[in-house]
Amino acid sequence: VIGPPSADNSWPAETADNAGYALYKAANPNRPARLFVGSNTGMVHAICEKTGANPGDCGSAGTNARGMEVYAFSPPAILPKLKLTPSAHAFSADGSFGGADLCLAADCSIAANWKTMLLGSLYRGGNSLFAMDVTNPDTVSYMFKLYAPMLGESWSAPVVGRAQIDAATGPLNRWIALSGGGYWAPSG
């Protein structure tokens, strides 16, 4: 479920980042919640969960009742499999999901530079992960896919975290996505 920003992104040495995230949280206290569910129909379904001020309706015009689908998304990696679904079962977008608030810009002290990302795996549907920007749950956008044959079928939910990376100019804090390697990975 993705709802209002709620993470405690407290990094002691990065007070500007903390202030930017606090502003982002304050600007989105009633963001509508969406439950994301994968399926073997080739789509990830976004289900209306609630809105902060009105727990009965959601959607851009309040047209979707709680529990109704607001939209569906087909990850590009499974599009070739969709032609198989009318005649045979094909695993597709039935993986696990992880969500996180993160800043991908150089200046994280600005609230507008923070986003909410949904990361998805395909389970037995394929050897890739995908990401969607769900900052505004009624206007989502596809961000990227990570395809890696060595990944195997990723059955675990992707997790987003922050790591310190050594660079030539000194240590840098970067957002990273972690996911367990899965079944059917090539050996080697």
Side-chain angles (χ1 to χ4, degrees), residues 96-100 102 117 119-121 129-130 144 146 151 154-165 174-182:
S96 299
F97 305 98
L102 50 89
M117 178 189 290
L119 284 166
S121 65
L129 305 173
F130 64 91
F144 63 85
L146 169 66
L151 179 65
S154 182
W155 291 23
S156 62
V159 176
V160 174
R162 200 137 176 199
Q164 192 172 73
I165 298 171
R174 292 289 185 249
W175 293 96
I176 60 171
L178 304 169
S179 181

Side-chain angles (χ1 to χ4, degrees), residues 77 120-123 126-130 145-148 151-154:
S121 65
L122 299 180
Y123 187 63
N127 299 10
S128 68
L129 305 173
F130 64 91
K145 84 171 176 181
L146 169 66
Y147 171 74
L151 179 65
E153 294 174 351
S154 182

Side-chain angles (χ1 to χ4, degrees), residues 82-148:
L82 291 181
K83 65 182 178 183
L84 304 174
T85 55
S87 60
H89 177 269
F91 291 103
S92 56
D94 57 344
S96 299
F97 305 98
D101 299 321
L102 50 89
C103 175
L104 298 176
D107 186 356
C108 295
S109 67
I110 300 170
N113 287 343
W114 285 85
K115 304 289 181 201
T116 301
M117 178 189 290
L118 176 77
L119 284 166
S121 65
L122 299 180
Y123 187 63
R124 290 186 68 184
N127 299 10
S128 68
L129 305 173
F130 64 91
M132 296 169 53
D133 180 347
V134 294
T135 304
N136 178 342
D138 294 323
T139 311
V140 301
S141 62
Y142 173 71
M143 295 177 73
F144 63 85
K145 84 171 176 181
L146 169 66
Y147 171 74

Side-chain angles (χ1 to χ4, degrees), residues 26-108:
N28 294 286
N30 294 317
R31 180 170 62 192
R34 299 289 182 264
L35 170 65
F36 291 91
V37 180
S39 70
N40 279 325
T41 62
M43 291 182 267
V44 175
H45 303 273
I47 310 297
C48 173
E49 176 57 25
K50 67 178 180 176
T51 56
N54 184 354
D57 297 324
C58 68
S60 58
T63 55
N64 297 86
R66 188 175 190 169
M68 298 293 294
E69 181 177 280
V70 180
Y71 57 85
F73 168 79
S74 291
I78 57 90
L79 293 177
K81 293 182 176 193
L82 291 181
K83 65 182 178 183
L84 304 174
T85 55
S87 60
H89 177 269
F91 291 103
S92 56
D94 57 344
S96 299
F97 305 98
D101 299 321
L102 50 89
C103 175
L104 298 176
D107 186 356
C108 295

